[in-house]
Amino acid sequence: MDLPNIETYLTPQNLAEITNWQPGWTWLAGGTWLFSEPQPEITTLVDLQNFGWSEIEINSEGLTIGATCIMSQLLNYNFPENWTAVKALKSAVNQLASFKIQNVATVGGNLCLGIPAGTFAPVMILLDAKYQILPLSGEPYWISALEFQTGIKQTILKPGEVLRKIYIPKENLELQVNYQRICLASAGLAISIVVTAYNPNTQIVKFAISGCIPSPKLIEFAQIPSQTEITQKLNETIPLTNYLNDTTASNTYRQHITQILMKRSLKF
């Protein structure tokens, strides 16, 4: 998609070079969504490519993913064998789109886009990830994944702020996980996503729900729940009126299929 309204393309070497953020400016990472449809309100692209944030780092405390990490890098990286929850990160890549998108799109871009069908947000919430945010002035700060997305294409980011990196604690990477997603076409947007984690040491089960609601939610059980317990807790946490209701799928259908995906996901 051509963006004929773009007037300026900036390629800064670091964040300090951007001092006069203006309305109509936007950060450019992989650009797979940005160039997929008209963007009439955007006049200036600020490319993150030269910032060098695409690292994957492992240490004794956990995993750090740079915001500009290309998604396919997660598929090819040699993670520790006992990090079973990495399977959910790889599912977030494989469930997104074709290999053409996976080899260009960035992890941070998917999170910052903030669409309900985003494949990475529920995984990050499930694994209790933290995000480092860089403002154009002031000190960097951290926020939990659960707090980051606030609605459809809405996040806590203020104008000019940028997601720098994602951190996932080591202990959460050792959980058993299951990724369930359903859409109306093989390459379409999801109408419900359920990502589930089970801790065999504590018996705790957590569900991250997205795709069917404006922003992801987390549901937790002290042990593996029955279908009745799933239905009751889901209805308490997400009322029917909170589900998306559009031409793709009704709120009633989204609620029903989410219950089914939660039950299916209890296989580790």
Side-chain angles (χ1 to χ4, degrees):
M1 173 67 68
D2 292 332
L3 302 180
N5 47 292
I6 300 299
E7 301 170 354
T8 308
Y9 172 66
L10 302 177
T11 58
Q13 300 297 308
N14 56 65
L15 197 64
E17 295 183 24
I18 305 299
T19 59
N20 59 336
W21 192 268
Q22 303 290 325
W25 288 30
T26 190
W27 295 108
L28 170 63
T32 53
W33 173 80
L34 193 63
F35 289 100
S36 70
E37 59 183 50
Q39 310 289 346
E41 74 284 358
I42 296 176
T43 59
T44 299
L45 299 177
V46 186
D47 199 331
L48 294 167
Q49 183 175 356
N50 293 328
F51 284 17
W53 291 352
S54 60
E55 76 278 2
I56 298 176
E57 296 181 354
I58 291 176
N59 58 35
S60 59
E61 297 181 348
L63 169 66
T64 299
I65 304 171
T68 54
C69 175
I70 302 300
M71 292 181 182
S72 60
Q73 292 178 359
L74 295 174
L75 300 178
N76 303 320
Y77 197 84
N78 186 25
F79 293 100
E81 290 185 5
N82 63 324
W83 282 14
T84 49
V86 166
K87 183 175 72 171
L89 290 171
K90 293 184 176 182
S91 292
V93 178
N94 288 324
Q95 295 288 341
L96 176 68
S98 72
F99 71 93
K100 293 179 289 184
I101 299 296
Q102 296 169 8
N103 287 320
V104 177
T106 63
V107 176
N110 187 262
L111 294 170
C112 292
L113 179 56
I115 62 173
T119 57
F120 275 94
V123 176
M124 300 305 181
I125 288 171
L126 190 73
L127 301 182
D128 195 23
K130 301 291 188 295
Y131 301 159
Q132 186 185 50
I133 309 300
L134 302 184
L136 291 179
S137 61
E139 295 298 317
Y141 64 94
W142 291 85
I143 190 168
S144 72
L146 188 59
E147 298 175 279
F148 183 72
Q149 184 176 335
T150 58
I152 300 175
K153 292 186 180 180
Q154 296 177 346
T155 70
I156 55 88
L157 291 174
K158 300 180 179 66
E161 288 189 333
V162 61
L163 172 62
R164 166 64 184 87
K165 58 186 174 183
I166 302 110
Y167 167 74
I168 304 174
K170 171 187 171 183
E171 58 270 20
N172 295 337
L173 290 162
E174 297 174 351
L175 299 174
Q176 298 179 22
V177 297
N178 189 307
Y179 196 111
Q180 296 285 327
R181 174 179 177 270
I182 189 168
C183 56
L184 298 184
S186 59
L189 295 176
I191 58 175
S192 184
I193 300 173
V194 175
V195 191
T196 305
Y198 172 63
N199 188 326
N201 298 319
T202 65
Q203 307 300 309
I204 291 175
V205 176
K206 294 182 180 180
F207 297 91
I209 312 296
S210 67
C212 55
I213 49 182
S215 59
K217 300 292 183 185
L218 189 66
I219 298 177
E220 182 175 325
F221 292 88
Q223 58 188 7
I224 295 178
S226 66
Q227 182 64 59
T228 300
E229 290 171 329
I230 286 175
T231 300
Q232 181 178 352
K233 191 69 170 286
L234 180 64
N235 292 343
E236 290 174 354
T237 306
I238 310 174
L240 179 61
T241 53
N242 285 16
Y243 287 84
L244 299 175
N245 187 32
D246 52 31
T247 55
T248 304
S250 69
N251 55 355
T252 303
Y253 182 73
R254 291 178 191 267
Q255 181 189 60
H256 176 68
I257 204 66
T258 300
Q259 294 176 14
I260 293 175
L261 294 185
M262 290 176 73
K263 183 64 175 178
R264 287 181 181 175
S265 70
L266 294 174
K267 297 178 181 179
F268 304 103

